[in-house]
Amino acid sequence: MIEYYAGAFTKEESLGCLNLFIRKWFESRYKELTPPQRYSLKLIHAKHNILITAPTGSGKTFSAFTTVLSELMNMSLQAKLEDKVYCIYVSPLRALNNDIYRNLTMPLEEIYRDITIPINRITVGIRTGDTTAAQRAQQLRKPPNILVTTPESLAILINSERFLPNLKDVKYLIIDELHELASNKRGVHLSLSVERLSSLIGHDFVRIGLGATLSPLENAARFLVGYSGGKERDCYIIDATWDKKLDFSVVCPVKDIVSAPDQIVENSVYNMIDRSIKANRTTLVFTNTRSGTERVVYNLAKRFKYGDEIAAHHGSLSRETRLGVEDLLKKGRLRCVVSSTSLELGVDIGTIDNVVLIGSPKSVSRAVQRIGRSGHSFNDVARGEVVATSRDDLIECTVMLDAARKRHLDTFTTPMNALDVLSQHIVGMTQNRQWAVDEAYEVIRNSYAYHELKREDFLSIVRYLAGMYVGLESRRVYGKIHYDEKSGMMQKTGIAKLIYYLNLGTIPDEVSVDVLTEQNQWIGSIQEEFLARLKTGDVFVLAGKPYRFEHSRVMKAYVTPAPEQIPTIPPWYSEQLPLAYELALEISRFRGEFAQEVGMSLKQNAAAYRAVFTRKDWSGSILEGMPMDNYARNSAFNYFAEQLLLSGVVPSEKLMLIERTHDDEGERNMVIFHALYGRRINDALSRIFAIMVADKYDVDVAVNISDNGFVLVTGADFELRRGDIERLMADLSNTDVEDLLKRNIKRTEMMKRRFRYCAARSFMILRNYKGYKISVRKQQVSAQILLKAVEDMDPDFPILKETYREILEDVMDLPRARRVIADLMEGTLKYRIIDSNVPSPFSHIMITFGESDVIMMADRRKHLRELHRQVLRKIKEMNK
């Protein structure tokens, strides 16, 4: 049973269960127990599975380890502590593992100073990809009592014949940063390793999960503890998410965010950051892209003559550089660090006084996580401010922080029944011993991510791995296991062990892709993930010029110059985080409520167009008390007033606005769907509508996707009329949208790349063979040959099936897109079609989506100002 722990323990009850030496040390360091410690010490001592969710600095990690150290110390005093692993700690970050190692070894040194009798000392060891051969050999001879590791290293260890006996007496498993693992295939991989470990050693262990921002907590607990015999294991949830005080607000850099000159806006943003740096000992600045991080650091150094006291931190920097920045930050030697997303997680970075977010982090959970990095101790107030750089941004950020204040978090989803990850583990299982498929199936279904796995899907993977698909051997895809269908037994093959060790893991190899003209002139390079997002006809900027994507050939992308065309894909598209679905719904609800208030204000004003003004009094407004400054309130009011005055309607959670308009030159017709659901859902919805239009009218349709909606773009010679749109809506009810999308993505770059990812995870293609690394180019060539082969062989081939599932459910969000379509069909979500000679204010963010990075602003803001001037002119004309 999964349940919240509702009881309470006194300080004495909590500390009374600890070994005296551990308790003495604990009380010498901590005067009070934090909420996670007050509940968890006793529960872990009683061998209960627990999930602890609490902010940074709450002591949740030491909550998990204190009781473990106490139990190991008792064993040591009783001369029962052997050279075995009793506790496994897993986190997704090697840097966090290094922190944990230091944070365990230092207290142990202090504790042993008070112990004069000779006893076996509690040992701690790290096992990651960075562990040297000598260190691994030492761990084999003398295993640590507490093993600090990663999901990938754990998967290797449970298949090590020599090391596995050292895991036979594991009593505790601690999984840190659970929110980072439960939502992706890396976590799915870990969940299977955990269930396999339990099966291999013949007993379960206490499972302890740690996370900062998790929702729904019940599913997080299920992910942690899994199932046994079809029944979910017991787990207590300790929810201290909101016990740390947060102080945050949205700030608007200038009085009029739309009309202010670029230089004024940019100066104001950087002045805000500079003021924070000067007013605090340490400031942490978050941007949303790596390129944005570098630009902010460059501009701060150039404008304010900062030197070594500021630094950048992001995933493209070397590990040594990142660790150096973290160490300097922890020691208080840096005034400011600018990060993309790399410092969100719980690496110890010391005391942060203030956090500045430039632009929306697109998620309530992520905002809480980032701002929660300030105020190092649990009793400190976490302080932060979000700098909005557009009117949409300030609405989004305000609703986001208001949702945080109301304790609403975004939900995570776990990839379910991932067949590629399953393939790895079946190969791994056969390396341990011979298995009856029924027994293996039950072990796999103990994982939350596979508890509803269909037997036929499981068997299809077994048959694939056994080489039973005729035709694959001719393409050098050989069996990795032996499977006897009559006896139902499966076992290892000779070559599979090496394949397993050298190709294990879920993170795909990615490289840069060369961009060339059709005449083979090299222009530059783009990231492979960016290429995967491109469709023929998409326009993007490279080396300062727009290019139209035509096609790719393995690791080369071919383009043609498009000097007069507006980009449809921004350069940071593959980096940018998508808007969380729950936050999108909150913004939509706010739109509906605030539109009513603004509408009433406009009705009370005789000269309606004059109502676009700077409001002085906010008493009685729903904006009163919202976490935003007056500049932001004024901008929000003007934004909604202009939308209502021009178009008469504001899209909301109950109304989808569909706007027919065109570009300034009349060369492109646009149908703008105001669908505020986040980019993943809009990716699916936009493709559905674009395919239907293209099929029905035999025209080329370009698509521009954003979190706020999507735009269907056609040439000047074709225009979707009102009746056409209404017929499309009617046709939706009879359309198999999943089949429609599958047919559409069948030949896309995304399909080619994602199939390679899934094929590599399932050992269908290899990344390493006999110690040699296979280039990504060769992997991609093999993947494209195999993709065509399996499509011809069997449309339900399991790895092909998993590729479609990954694209439709993990990259896009087809399940929720279907829910939107169902609401449209049932009438619970209405739609209204309007014609606009001048695009409405709410459409501007979508029209200009591809034009620039949020930190640079200049080109995009120029277009936004022109669109805004057109709106104001039109409103004046309408009210003469």
Side-chain angles (χ1 to χ4, degrees):
M1 180 185 296
I2 307 294
E3 58 181 307
Y4 290 82
Y5 190 75
F9 297 117
T10 64
K11 181 178 180 179
E12 181 55 39
E13 285 176 318
S14 294
L15 297 180
C17 66
L18 298 180
N19 170 278
L20 292 178
F21 290 110
I22 302 296
R23 176 173 180 171
K24 180 181 177 182
W25 176 87
F26 189 93
E27 290 183 310
S28 71
R29 297 294 297 269
Y30 305 104
K31 293 182 180 180
E32 294 296 330
L33 297 177
T34 65
Q37 293 165 347
R38 192 165 60 244
Y39 291 107
S40 62
L41 300 184
K42 186 82 171 175
L43 290 174
I44 297 172
H45 176 73
K47 303 297 188 291
H48 290 295
N49 297 323
I50 63 169
L51 171 65
I52 306 171
T53 174
T56 301
S58 61
K60 61 178 179 291
T61 305
F62 217 74
S63 300
F65 276 114
T66 302
T67 305
V68 172
L69 292 175
S70 175
E71 295 297 309
L72 295 182
M73 184 63 76
N74 286 336
M75 292 175 65
S76 179
L77 292 170
Q78 297 164 16
K80 294 180 179 178
L81 188 69
E82 302 178 43
D83 290 336
K84 295 179 179 178
V85 177
Y86 296 101
C87 174
I88 299 173
Y89 168 91
V90 182
S91 94
L93 297 175
R94 294 179 189 180
L96 184 54
N97 286 340
N98 292 327
D99 270 349
I100 293 299
Y101 178 79
R102 285 192 296 269
N103 292 338
L104 286 175
T105 52
M106 290 174 62
L108 283 171
E109 286 297 322
E110 294 173 1
I111 290 165
Y112 280 115
R113 287 174 196 158
D114 292 334
I115 302 176
T116 56
I117 58 175
I119 59 171
N120 287 341
R121 291 197 168 203
I122 299 168
T123 55
V124 184
I126 297 181
R127 187 64 169 258
T128 70
D130 294 332
T131 305
T132 66
Q135 290 170 329
R136 290 197 295 270
Q138 170 64 20
Q139 289 174 358
L140 189 59
R141 289 191 299 269
K142 186 179 173 61
N145 301 136
I146 299 174
L147 180 65
V148 178
T149 190
T150 61
E152 293 76 16
S153 292
L154 179 61
I156 290 173
L157 289 175
I158 63 175
N159 266 86
S160 170
E161 292 179 20
R162 297 177 66 193
F163 197 89
L164 184 59
N166 298 318
L167 302 176
K168 289 288 186 181
D169 291 317
V170 167
K171 299 177 183 297
Y172 303 95
L173 170 73
I174 302 170
I175 301 179
D176 207 347
E177 304 294 347
L178 195 72
H179 52 285
E180 180 67 15
L181 288 167
S183 60
N184 56 53
K185 286 189 174 180
R186 205 171 169 214
V188 170
H189 196 283
L190 173 62
S191 75
L192 282 177
S193 294
V194 170
E195 295 306 332
R196 285 178 55 200
L197 174 61
S198 176
S199 172
L200 286 166
I201 65 179
H203 64 84
D204 208 353
F205 28 76
V206 177
R207 304 178 190 217
I208 305 163
L210 310 173
T213 48
L214 281 164
S215 179
L217 285 169
E218 295 85 352
N219 283 354
R222 293 184 183 102
F223 175 87
L224 170 69
V225 300
Y227 292 71
S228 179
K231 180 183 177 184
E232 66 184 27
R233 295 187 179 97
D234 293 339
C235 184
Y236 282 118
I237 297 172
I238 298 171
D239 184 6
T241 306
W242 305 101
D243 285 23
K244 188 173 183 177
K245 293 179 181 178
L246 299 172
D247 181 8
F248 44 62
S249 65
V250 175
V251 294
C252 190
V254 292
K255 187 175 182 180
D256 187 343
I257 192 69
V258 180
S259 302
D262 298 337
Q263 200 62 44
I264 299 294
V265 175
E266 216 162 306
N267 288 344
S268 182
V269 170
Y270 284 110
N271 286 337
M272 282 180 171
I273 300 171
D274 179 55
R275 283 196 297 272
S276 178
I277 295 171
K278 287 184 168 59
N280 298 287
R281 288 171 299 176
T282 312
T283 295
L284 179 58
V285 179
F286 281 103
T287 68
N288 288 329
T289 64
R290 297 170 185 181
S291 56
T293 294
E294 292 291 350
R295 274 194 293 277
V296 170
V297 171
Y298 172 79
N299 275 289
L300 287 173
K302 181 181 178 182
R303 290 164 182 261
F304 306 107
K305 309 304 179 188
Y306 286 112
D308 293 339
E309 66 266 44
I310 67 170
H313 191 289
H314 57 73
S316 294
L317 298 172
S318 70
R319 178 174 176 271
E320 291 73 20
T321 300
R322 295 197 308 272
L323 290 176
V325 170
E326 291 163 18
D327 187 56
L328 290 172
L329 191 55
K330 197 182 306 181
K331 291 176 179 176
R333 295 180 185 173
L334 291 175
R335 296 290 304 278
C336 174
V337 170
V338 186
S339 172
S340 53
T341 60
S342 53
L343 285 179
E344 282 182 0
L345 299 183
V347 178
D348 184 7
I349 52 175
T351 301
I352 302 295
D353 296 323
N354 191 49
V355 174
V356 178
L357 279 61
I358 300 179
S360 171
K362 300 292 177 181
S363 154
V364 179
S365 300
R366 188 168 286 111
V368 172
Q369 182 89 352
R370 289 181 177 184
I371 294 171
R373 299 297 271 156
S374 66
H376 189 61
S377 73
F378 188 71
N379 293 322
D380 290 341
V381 177
R383 303 185 188 281
E385 52 199 0
V386 185
V387 181
T389 54
S390 71
R391 297 195 294 187
D392 283 279
D393 214 30
L394 71 87
I395 297 295
E396 183 176 305
C397 293
T398 298
V399 175
M400 176 183 67
L401 295 187
D402 188 55
R405 199 165 53 180
K406 294 173 181 174
R407 303 188 173 189
H408 297 167
L409 290 175
D410 317 296
T411 62
F412 75 91
T413 54
T414 299
M416 304 300 284
N417 306 317
L419 300 180
D420 51 354
V421 177
L422 177 60
S423 298
Q424 279 191 35
H425 280 277
I426 291 176
V427 173
M429 291 173 83
T430 59
Q431 293 300 308
N432 292 123
R433 64 177 177 86
Q434 188 181 58
W435 285 84
V437 290
D438 290 343
E439 183 188 4
Y441 179 54
E442 290 309 312
V443 170
I444 287 162
R445 292 202 330 140
N446 285 341
S447 160
Y448 168 72
Y450 292 93
H451 74 280
E452 294 180 337
L453 176 68
K454 293 178 181 178
R455 184 178 174 80
E456 53 266 35
D457 286 336
F458 169 72
L459 289 176
S460 73
I461 287 293
V462 172
R463 293 188 187 105
Y464 146 64
L465 291 171
M468 291 183 175
Y469 280 87
V470 178
L472 285 181
E473 279 203 7
S474 64
R475 293 170 174 84
R476 296 193 293 181
V477 178
Y478 305 107
K480 313 297 187 299
I481 66 172
H482 289 303
Y483 171 48
D484 186 332
E485 285 191 284
K486 287 185 179 179
S487 66
M489 302 299 292
M490 60 182 186
Q491 59 186 339
K492 66 183 178 182
T493 61
I495 196 172
K497 181 176 182 179
L498 192 60
I499 290 173
Y500 179 82
Y501 279 116
L502 292 178
N503 295 274
L504 181 143
T506 61
I507 302 171
D509 292 335
E510 288 192 359
V511 294
S512 294
V513 175
D514 286 333
V515 179
L516 304 98
T517 65
E518 295 285 11
Q519 293 74 38
N520 280 317
Q521 179 188 353
W522 186 81
I523 299 166
S525 60
I526 56 176
Q527 290 299 308
E528 190 181 8
E529 179 63 19
F530 184 76
L531 173 62
R533 300 279 182 174
L534 294 177
K535 305 181 294 295
T536 298
D538 279 338
V539 177
F540 65 97
V541 173
L542 185 63
K545 296 178 181 178
Y547 293 92
R548 183 183 190 271
F549 174 67
E550 302 297 344
H551 62 93
S552 77
R553 191 172 299 135
V554 191
M555 304 309 292
K556 294 179 179 178
Y558 290 88
V559 299
T560 53
E564 302 301 322
Q565 295 190 42
I566 295 173
T568 59
I569 304 290
W572 38 263
Y573 186 78
S574 60
E575 285 187 60
Q576 183 75 300
L577 299 161
L579 182 68
Y581 175 67
E582 289 78 15
L583 176 55
L585 294 185
E586 292 277 356
I587 298 167
S588 292
R589 279 191 282 271
F590 170 83
R591 279 182 170 186
E593 293 173 9
F594 191 48
Q596 286 188 331
E597 178 185 320
V598 175
M600 290 296 294
S601 180
L602 295 179
K603 285 180 183 177
Q604 294 166 7
N605 194 302
Y609 74 94
R610 296 180 191 224
V612 185
F613 59 92
T614 299
R615 183 166 169 172
K616 303 295 184 186
D617 177 22
W618 291 103
S619 60
S621 168
I622 65 171
L623 298 188
E624 184 183 10
M626 291 285 270
M628 60 198 308
D629 64 9
N630 276 337
Y631 281 178
R633 291 189 182 93
N634 294 336
S635 293
F637 183 87
N638 291 350
Y639 190 27
F640 277 66
E642 290 166 16
Q643 176 71 20
L644 283 170
L645 289 168
L646 184 74
S647 64
V649 60
V650 167
S652 68
E653 85 281 13
K654 295 179 181 178
L655 178 68
M656 179 186 287
L657 180 63
I658 303 173
E659 184 174 352
R660 297 173 66 249
T661 187
H662 50 77
D663 63 7
D664 294 343
E665 293 78 25
E667 295 178 356
R668 303 187 308 161
N669 289 308
M670 295 183 284
V671 178
I672 302 167
F673 287 73
H674 295 260
L676 208 168
Y677 300 111
R679 197 172 73 227
R680 290 177 59 221
I681 294 170
N682 287 335
D683 196 347
L685 289 174
S686 64
R687 288 173 190 261
I688 290 166
F689 279 103
I691 298 164
M692 292 175 70
V693 171
D695 288 350
K696 195 175 186 70
Y697 300 103
D698 192 26
V699 293
D700 290 330
V701 183
V703 178
N704 192 340
I705 308 163
S706 76
D707 288 316
N708 289 32
F710 54 93
V711 185
L712 304 184
V713 184
T714 58
D717 56 344
F718 177 80
E719 182 179 14
L720 270 178
R721 295 162 298 184
R722 283 172 169 262
D724 298 329
I725 297 170
E726 288 167 352
R727 279 188 288 275
L728 285 173
M729 288 294 191
D731 290 345
L732 266 179
S733 59
N734 301 317
T735 301
D736 183 340
V737 293
E738 181 172 343
D739 180 66
L740 190 75
L741 285 173
K742 282 183 176 179
R743 285 190 281 112
N744 172 254
I745 63 180
K746 192 173 184 178
R747 293 286 176 258
T748 61
E749 288 302 318
M750 185 176 292
M751 186 68 188
K752 295 175 190 176
R753 309 288 152 180
R754 290 284 167 174
F755 180 78
R756 189 189 90 227
Y757 298 172
C758 294
R761 293 190 195 105
S762 56
F763 302 154
M764 196 174 185
I765 61 173
L766 303 180
R767 295 180 290 171
N768 294 278
Y769 185 65
K770 294 184 178 180
Y772 293 97
K773 187 169 179 61
I774 298 172
S775 71
V776 175
R777 182 186 180 281
K778 288 184 177 179
Q779 291 179 44
Q780 190 62 45
V781 170
S782 298
Q784 289 177 205
I785 293 170
L786 286 171
L787 175 58
K788 181 68 170 64
V790 297
E791 284 176 337
D792 294 340
M793 182 191 310
D794 181 2
D796 288 324
F797 183 75
I799 309 309
L800 185 62
K801 183 176 182 178
E802 173 57 25
T803 305
Y804 280 120
R805 189 213 63 78
E806 182 175 297
I807 292 172
L808 296 178
E809 296 182 15
D810 300 347
V811 179
M812 301 179 198
D813 190 345
L814 180 58
R816 284 173 172 151
R818 277 176 160 159
R819 195 179 309 166
V820 172
I821 292 170
D823 288 344
L824 282 168
M825 297 303 97
E826 293 166 8
T828 52
L829 173 63
K830 307 291 185 184
Y831 72 89
R832 184 184 302 180
I833 304 169
I834 63 170
D835 295 328
S836 302
N837 287 327
V838 174
S840 72
F842 276 31
S843 72
H844 297 178
I845 195 73
M846 289 180 272
I847 292 173
T848 64
F849 181 68
E851 293 178 21
S852 181
D853 191 322
V854 70
I855 302 300
M856 285 187 71
M857 299 185 224
D859 294 339
R860 192 181 191 192
R861 284 185 50 76
K862 182 178 179 182
H863 193 182
L864 283 169
R865 280 201 306 275
E866 176 53 35
L867 289 169
H868 185 241
R869 282 193 289 267
Q870 292 177 21
V871 166
L872 295 184
R873 282 197 299 268
K874 186 66 176 179
I875 290 173
K876 281 194 174 185
E877 289 173 12
M878 292 168 62
N879 289 276
K880 281 183 179 177

